Amino acid sequence: MLDKIIPDNIFKTIVNVAKSAVPQMLNAAQRNEIVVKTLKQLKFDPTQPPKDVDGVYVYALVEYGVGKDEPILKLFREKEIKNAFWSAYSANSPISFWNKVDEFIQSSALGDEIKESQVDVRSELEEFGRVFISVAKRTKSQEFRPYPDWNFDEYPAEFKSLIMEKIKAFCGREFVFKEFENFIRDNSNGYFTLVGDAGMGKSAIAAKYVYDHKCPCHFNVRADGRNKPDFFLKSIRKQLIRHYGLQNADNVALSTLLQKVSENLGGQKLVIVVDALDEVEQSGGGNILDFPTTLPDGVYFFLTRRPYERENKRLNVSPGVGMKELDLRASEYQGLSRDDVKKYIGFMLNADPDYGVQLQKWVQERDMRKENFIEQVADKSENNFMYLRYVLPDIAKGFYPDLSLRELPDGLQDYYQQHWVRMGMEDKPQKDKVIVLFILVESRTLPTLEMIAGWAQEDESDVEDVLKEWVEFLSKQEVEGEICYSIYHASFLDFLKGKRKLDSTRKLFEEVNARMADDLYSDV
């Protein structure tokens, strides 16, 4: 450990040099000249750093400190901070250093001084660490090996761009975060699952939580293969080791990792965000992604997934483990989601740097009140944020003369085409699958399972199997005590109607059409 406090005379020299230098006025040569002069003044060899840890720390502080504010230099002089730095260096856990410094800043007078200076503490800690490693390498001493990966970016590199993209123009969803806060308050551990149709913003909510809380995360992405249990475990293991400085944990199971973290939480909480369980590819039985059936105290999972049938849940836990689902489709959340949709449209209209001006011009040219525009587009969206992400830019680009929005933009077509492929419709489909989908597309009412089976002239259990296969693309409503089915979004329904395989003039559908028509006119 670094037990020595930097002597007053050395520290004053470093501070005086820092004050005398104006970093934006210095070129690299001038800066290096100041560093060399200061090192000589402090009896250091400018060409060969000392080999002891305390000496390297001071040497690095000289190289780092040119032009720095005095409060941040005072921070590095603190014995508690010096020790925290070396512990984090030795454990290859830069995040633990940031956590320790943040605690110090929140609870000390020096912390108040640093806040007043408005210095970016995070970037300063990262810069000092890189300078220290550079000096350590020049010593050629084994004491400093292995050199840590001094990176303060909390997000795994493979997910960073996804997270940044998802939180653009993020609006609302406070009711989701509040429900999760209540879940943590009421449970010592557990699994919280956010359920919703495609496009309802589940991934954006997950990304926003990760962005705000800097917690470990995993986003299942089928397209590039990041959706299997081994990839998930490898990613989470690496994050937990880095966040908490775990030792000898390179090959341990998830349950063991969580136990190790739990023992060092000190009253804090560990939240792991896992997005898109419906994207997971996993054979065999057991829990999805091999989630543990028991969790240590203070450990929580925030999960997202599309609607599923009970037999496909694959998340069984022991008594005492908290479990809660929030279904965005539930009636109590429809109004809240509608409010968030309107906030999103309002932001795009009034403040979005890319499309705001064009959207306002579009509204003004049609002598339309902004409030009416927001309401009408919200109606069209049916609380589907993905719809808005594609349609609003296309409105701004002038692709729609009015708000009928009859033609789907290319981006939305591609988005729905992915669903179509995912349904297996590009493969050679089975006849009963095509007929059931045709009925859902063409029905002028909300059909029940019995009605669909009658029109298809198929056994109800076989039709039910098809409906279960497509559950994440369907909406289920209870009408007069019976469950009725429909396609989950009107724009997706329009997309399906344009598919040749579902063309109502096909001979395959002649008898189905006749039976549906007979039922329709029998009620007239």
Side-chain angles (χ1 to χ4, degrees):
M1 301 291 282
L2 300 176
D3 294 325
K4 299 176 183 177
I5 296 176
I6 298 174
D8 286 342
N9 63 321
I10 293 178
F11 184 71
K12 286 179 181 177
T13 300
I14 295 173
V15 169
N16 289 335
V17 170
K19 287 181 177 179
S20 65
V22 182
Q24 58 267 34
M25 300 292 290
L26 297 175
N27 59 37
Q30 292 171 323
R31 193 180 192 286
N32 185 60
E33 184 179 342
I34 293 173
V35 169
V36 169
K37 181 179 178 180
T38 307
L39 289 172
K40 287 181 177 179
Q41 188 176 344
L42 296 174
K43 311 301 182 186
F44 285 113
D45 183 348
T47 62
Q48 180 58 55
K51 294 183 182 296
D52 65 290
V53 178
D54 276 297
V56 170
Y57 190 89
V58 175
Y59 201 103
L61 195 57
V62 172
E63 289 197 3
Y64 156 82
V66 176
K68 297 298 182 183
D69 292 333
E70 185 172 351
I72 196 69
L73 295 174
K74 287 181 180 178
L75 177 72
F76 285 112
R77 191 194 186 197
E78 292 287 329
K79 181 179 178 180
E80 180 181 348
I81 300 304
K82 290 175 64 185
N83 288 337
F85 171 80
W86 183 244
S87 294
Y89 181 101
S90 303
N92 191 11
S93 179
I95 297 299
S96 66
F97 181 48
W98 160 246
N99 291 337
K100 189 68 176 180
V101 171
D102 189 47
E103 289 178 16
F104 180 88
I105 289 175
Q106 301 306 324
S107 60
S108 67
L110 176 56
D112 294 336
E113 191 176 339
I114 291 171
K115 291 175 187 176
E116 290 175 7
S117 72
Q118 296 186 322
V119 66
D120 184 349
V121 177
R122 192 180 197 82
S123 63
E124 297 300 330
L125 300 183
E126 193 166 21
E127 181 182 345
F128 176 78
R130 288 198 294 266
V131 172
F132 184 96
I133 292 169
S134 173
V135 175
K137 287 180 178 178
R138 279 178 267 154
T139 70
K140 302 188 183 326
S141 170
Q142 292 297 317
E143 184 170 6
F144 299 100
R145 293 177 180 271
Y147 306 120
D149 177 19
W150 202 258
N151 175 16
F152 274 50
D153 196 345
E154 305 90 339
Y155 317 116
E158 63 267 29
F159 301 130
K160 184 174 181 179
S161 60
L162 182 151
I163 292 169
M164 294 300 107
E165 172 62 26
K166 291 294 183 182
I167 64 172
K168 283 182 180 178
F170 186 92
C171 292
R173 319 315 268 168
E174 289 301 324
F175 68 94
V176 176
F177 301 131
K178 185 64 176 176
E179 287 283 356
F180 185 56
E181 288 176 10
N182 292 340
F183 176 75
I184 290 178
R185 182 197 63 205
D186 297 338
N187 296 272
S188 59
N189 56 41
Y191 293 94
F192 178 96
T193 304
L194 180 68
V195 178
D197 290 328
M200 294 189 78
K202 303 181 299 300
S203 294
I205 291 170
K208 178 63 173 173
Y209 191 89
V210 172
Y211 181 81
D212 286 347
H213 298 274
K214 312 298 186 288
C215 55
C217 63
H218 182 80
F219 291 78
N220 290 290
V221 183
R222 176 185 279 112
D224 54 16
R226 293 198 297 256
N227 63 336
K228 298 177 177 64
D230 57 343
F231 194 101
F232 161 75
L233 176 58
K234 182 179 179 181
S235 175
I236 291 297
R237 181 191 285 138
K238 182 179 179 181
Q239 293 177 64
L240 292 177
I241 289 173
R242 187 164 177 263
H243 272 254
Y244 296 98
L246 303 180
Q247 301 294 317
N248 304 316
D250 291 337
N251 297 301
V252 300
L254 180 58
S255 56
T256 305
L257 276 172
L258 298 179
Q259 184 59 46
K260 282 177 174 285
V261 172
S262 177
E263 293 167 0
N264 293 283
L265 284 176
Q268 300 297 310
K269 310 295 184 184
L270 166 62
V271 174
I272 299 175
V273 174
V274 185
D275 179 55
L277 295 185
D278 48 279
E279 295 270 333
V280 171
E281 291 183 10
Q282 179 177 351
S283 59
N287 277 347
I288 193 166
L289 293 178
D290 299 324
F291 288 144
T293 57
T294 61
L295 294 174
D297 286 349
V299 176
Y300 303 85
F301 280 82
F302 185 119
L303 313 172
T304 77
R305 68 190 303 171
R306 291 183 184 176
Y308 61 94
E309 292 295 326
R310 181 171 296 277
E311 59 265 32
N312 296 323
K313 182 177 183 178
R314 297 193 66 171
L315 184 55
N316 297 307
V317 300
S318 299
V321 176
M323 286 275 281
K324 179 178 176 62
E325 284 193 357
L326 188 159
D327 192 331
L328 291 171
R329 303 167 302 164
S331 57
E332 63 262 40
Y333 301 122
Q334 291 297 307
L336 296 171
S337 290
R338 167 82 177 200
D339 291 342
D340 290 342
V341 160
K342 290 167 65 176
K343 287 178 186 176
Y344 180 84
I345 300 169
F347 171 85
M348 291 290 290
L349 178 62
N350 297 311
D352 183 76
D354 297 320
Y355 301 109
V357 173
Q358 298 99 308
L359 285 172
Q360 290 183 45
K361 182 180 178 182
W362 192 98
V363 171
Q364 291 166 1
E365 287 176 347
R366 287 154 182 79
D367 197 24
M368 181 183 294
R369 294 175 63 233
K370 288 183 178 181
E371 293 79 4
N372 290 343
F373 174 84
I374 292 171
E375 288 289 345
Q376 290 186 52
V377 176
D379 287 341
K380 289 281 185 180
S381 77
E382 297 179 342
N383 291 350
N384 189 290
F385 283 88
M386 190 61 69
Y387 178 89
L388 295 172
R389 287 188 64 189
Y390 286 122
V391 167
L392 288 170
D394 276 7
I395 293 175
K397 294 171 187 174
F399 292 165
Y400 300 106
D402 57 49
L403 278 174
S404 62
L405 306 182
R406 289 190 180 92
E407 297 295 327
L408 295 178
D410 290 341
L412 198 56
Q413 290 276 5
D414 292 341
Y415 177 65
Y416 288 151
Q417 178 64 24
Q418 293 175 14
H419 293 353
W420 174 261
V421 172
R422 191 172 178 186
M423 288 162 136
M425 300 306 292
E426 289 299 318
D427 303 328
K428 189 174 181 179
Q430 297 175 352
K431 177 181 175 182
D432 58 347
K433 181 186 291 188
V434 175
I435 289 176
V436 170
L437 182 57
F438 172 79
I439 290 170
L440 290 168
V441 168
E442 293 295 325
S443 177
R444 299 181 188 179
T445 62
L446 290 175
T448 64
L449 171 62
E450 182 182 4
M451 292 168 66
I452 297 171
W455 292 336
Q457 289 197 336
E458 297 284 348
D459 188 88
E460 285 190 18
S461 63
D462 293 334
V463 172
E464 187 174 25
D465 288 341
V466 174
L467 294 174
K468 285 180 178 179
E469 184 178 343
W470 294 341
V471 65
E472 61 194 83
F473 305 103
L474 303 178
S475 293
K476 293 195 293 186
Q477 302 178 44
E478 185 172 330
V479 179
E480 297 181 355
E482 292 191 278
I483 300 299
C484 300
Y485 297 86
S486 63
I487 302 299
Y488 78 89
H489 195 274
S491 60
F492 187 41
L493 180 62
D494 290 340
F495 166 83
L496 293 175
K497 286 181 177 179
K499 284 295 184 181
R500 290 185 62 188
K501 288 184 180 179
L502 300 179
D503 189 336
S504 61
T505 62
R506 288 183 63 189
K507 286 187 177 182
L508 176 65
F509 303 134
E510 286 180 358
E511 293 184 6
V512 178
N513 264 320
R515 288 190 288 270
M516 293 175 69
D518 287 344
D519 274 5
L520 175 65
Y521 292 120
S522 68
D523 294 332
V524 176

